Amino acid sequence: MDIIDLEKTVPQLEAAASFLAETAGAGKTVLFVGVKPEARNAVEEVAQTLKMPYVTERWIGGILTNFPQMKKRIEKLEQLKEERTGGGFDKYTKKEQAVLNRELDRLNKYFSGLVGLTRLPDALVVVDSKKEHTAVAEAKKMRIPVVALGNTDCSIFGITYPIVANDSSASSIKAILGILKESLSK
């Protein structure tokens, strides 16, 4: 059983919301990360509403630290989508089409939320900093500020704007992301 003092969570949430409002006001990009089943829908919904990039399947190591290579994978996804919708797959044999479709599906699964990301994000919003320790470590290495929702089992050291709250409840995640979304849409 976790005991969280909500009187301490509120100022943390306000500080994070204020930071994100400044970030959005400057026209900067925020990358949302939440791969837990409880967080996926809320993260995707908030990011799509704000037209921001997101990761909901799996954090692929190197998204931030090896961004030029990741950018090539995103461009490959866009190229394959365009080629398939434009009828470009028709020139290939059935076997080649199957291979291309499998690659497109795989790229779509992992990179569809990152389409349109042409440079490193200016901030990260992470749900469960313990589970997404790789994303937090990469952001820290690249000096990108991190807003992270974490339960009592998460370390808040190295996180720019920690929010200690229940990160295992879909309703808690949705409520906190809703507050952050409001600050970003101002």
Side-chain angles (χ1 to χ4, degrees):
M1 184 167 125
D2 298 325
I3 299 173
I4 298 172
D5 186 355
L6 295 178
E7 290 181 6
K8 292 184 180 176
T9 299
V10 171
Q12 293 173 335
L13 186 57
E14 288 171 348
S18 174
F19 164 72
L20 290 174
E22 288 175 29
T23 303
K28 295 183 177 181
T29 306
V30 178
L31 174 61
F32 287 84
V33 181
V35 301
K36 293 173 77 163
E38 303 89 2
R40 283 184 183 151
N41 291 337
V43 167
E44 188 173 348
E45 181 184 315
V46 167
Q48 286 180 344
T49 302
L50 296 168
K51 295 180 177 57
M52 296 283 184
Y54 61 92
V55 174
T56 55
E57 274 305 315
R58 179 170 91 78
W59 181 266
I60 306 293
I63 288 179
L64 300 178
T65 54
N66 194 11
F67 188 73
Q69 191 63 35
M70 290 298 152
K71 190 174 170 188
K72 288 179 187 175
R73 303 306 301 160
I74 296 166
E75 290 169 357
K76 176 78 171 176
L77 169 64
E78 291 173 327
Q79 178 221 339
L80 284 175
K81 274 185 177 177
E82 193 175 294
E83 193 174 343
R84 182 164 74 178
T85 56
F89 279 15
D90 296 340
K91 64 184 175 186
Y92 298 109
T93 64
K94 285 185 178 182
K95 185 176 181 177
E96 290 170 332
Q97 286 180 19
V99 169
L100 288 171
N101 280 320
R102 266 196 305 275
E103 182 178 3
L104 179 61
D105 291 342
R106 186 181 60 78
L107 289 171
N108 201 34
K109 180 179 181 181
Y110 295 118
F111 298 106
S112 64
L114 298 174
V115 170
L117 187 64
T118 56
R119 59 182 177 80
L120 282 172
D122 300 296
L124 250 69
V125 173
V126 178
V127 176
D128 194 351
S129 58
K130 182 178 179 183
K131 183 167 179 61
E132 298 308 320
H133 65 277
T134 308
V136 172
E138 285 190 32
K140 187 176 179 182
K141 186 173 184 179
M142 301 303 290
R143 292 188 172 91
I144 298 172
V146 177
V147 173
L149 172 64
N151 211 333
T152 57
D153 64 345
C154 299
S155 172
I156 62 171
F157 298 106
I159 296 173
T160 321
Y161 297 95
I163 302 169
V164 179
N166 187 352
D167 64 9
S168 299
S169 164
S171 59
S172 171
I173 294 167
K174 190 172 184 174
I176 289 172
L177 287 178
I179 293 168
L180 297 178
K181 179 177 92 171
E182 286 179 29
S183 68
L184 279 163
S185 57
K186 288 181 180 177

